[in-house]
Amino acid sequence: MSRLLGERPASGDAVNRSALRPGQKSTPPQKRRISFWYWAIIFLALLWAQSVFSHRDTQAITYDAFLQDLRNGHIAEVVLSDSEIRGRYVAADRDGRKAFVTARVDPAVAADLWA
């Protein structure tokens, strides 16, 4: 009957045309959209996983232990920030940790502690 009325069948239309009532038009299937919130949750989960696994080999040490390791040549790299000192050992310690973090101490306070 659609050919008699001059209508063309839609290409790729998966609707059973015999199930349609006369005069009823078929609607194309709607595409699924992934919500913004799904992407945001995935992104946050990846950030969390990265932060958990990147600090896994880091050991918190005292400032005194840091100075001792520095004098003994066990430290390969140091990064200073306002509140902490992070670095990497030349070789992994006995626990397999390759990095360390310690609180940064003011040089004047450190001098008083050593005096």
Side-chain angles (χ1 to χ4, degrees), residues 13-14 26 31 37 51 53 59 92 100 106:
D13 199 0
S26 66
K31 293 181 181 180
W37 294 109
S51 70
F53 292 115
Q59 174 184 1
F100 67 88
D106 185 81

Side-chain angles (χ1 to χ4, degrees), residues 78-91:
V78 174
V79 178
L80 301 173
S81 71
D82 292 338
S83 62
E84 65 185 14
I85 300 171
R86 290 188 170 274
R88 296 217 167 264
Y89 291 114
V90 173

Side-chain angles (χ1 to χ4, degrees), residues 9-32:
S11 63
D13 199 0
V15 175
N16 184 359
R17 294 196 182 272
S18 62
L20 295 176
R21 286 184 251 136
Q24 182 182 9
K25 293 185 179 180
S26 66
T27 59
Q30 293 192 7
K31 293 181 181 180
R32 291 184 121 184

Side-chain angles (χ1 to χ4, degrees), residues 2 8 35 88 97 104 110 112:
S2 63
R8 290 183 155 175
S35 173
R88 296 217 167 264
R97 294 190 175 127
R104 187 170 181 179
D112 288 340

Side-chain angles (χ1 to χ4, degrees), residues 49-59 84 86 97 99:
Q50 188 265 341
S51 70
V52 167
F53 292 115
S54 68
H55 296 298
R56 203 165 148 183
D57 66 341
T58 303
Q59 174 184 1
E84 65 185 14
R86 290 188 170 274
R97 294 190 175 127

